[in-house]
Amino acid sequence: MRVRPVWLAAAAMSLVMAAGAQAQDTEAPPAEEMTPQERFVELHGAVVAYERCTGIHFDEQQAMALNQRIRELIGESFGAGATLQLIYDAREAMTRRVTSEGCGGDRVTDALTLFETNLADAVSMAGSQ
């Protein structure tokens, strides 16, 4: 009888993880309604979309400038562990999105627009220093 509760716990955990992954692929709320963590993931996702769709990979100086700009935009910073997890979540979600929708998909083009309007100048400024 002890096997059954363990099995149920494993099944429940699996459902929670699947729901979380699916939630990342749903329509995002407007920026003003997002939590700082959601906005952080959205902005880092925009960086991933830009890299994947243009074939450009940012060097360390550019990546630092992008990270600084994202911190400025959300007005918060998180601990190292939380930051790394959020960046990982953004990378995974946007990679799945680009793979499934392509660079012309609505959500991917929204991310590319977000990059161009909010982040691109941080990269150009980093390159000119």
Side-chain angles (χ1 to χ4, degrees):
M1 290 218 147
R2 289 199 179 269
V3 174
R4 188 172 185 194
V6 172
W7 178 82
L8 287 174
M13 181 61 82
S14 176
L15 287 173
V16 168
M17 290 171 56
Q22 188 175 16
Q24 289 178 349
D25 284 341
T26 60
E27 193 68 30
E32 59 275 359
E33 295 177 16
M34 289 182 176
T35 66
Q37 292 86 349
E38 290 170 329
R39 184 72 171 150
F40 185 90
V41 169
E42 179 188 49
L43 291 164
H44 271 282
V47 173
V48 173
Y50 186 83
E51 286 183 318
R52 299 236 183 247
C53 292
T54 64
I56 294 171
H57 296 285
F58 299 114
D59 63 27
E60 185 177 345
Q61 184 179 11
Q62 292 168 321
M64 288 173 48
L66 286 166
N67 286 324
Q68 178 62 33
R69 173 61 56 83
I70 290 170
R71 281 195 303 276
E72 290 168 3
L73 289 171
I74 63 169
E76 247 181 79
S77 90
F78 311 104
T83 298
L84 290 174
Q85 183 62 51
L86 291 169
I87 292 170
Y88 176 81
D89 292 347
R91 182 167 299 282
E92 291 297 305
M94 188 54 70
T95 297
R96 278 194 312 272
R97 194 166 289 150
V98 170
T99 299
S100 65
E101 297 178 16
C103 291
D106 290 342
R107 295 183 300 175
V108 177
T109 57
D110 288 348
L112 293 170
T113 300
L114 180 66
F115 179 88
E116 290 294 334
T117 58
N118 291 283
L119 303 171
D121 64 328
V123 176
S124 63
M125 291 171 53
S128 65
Q129 292 178 352

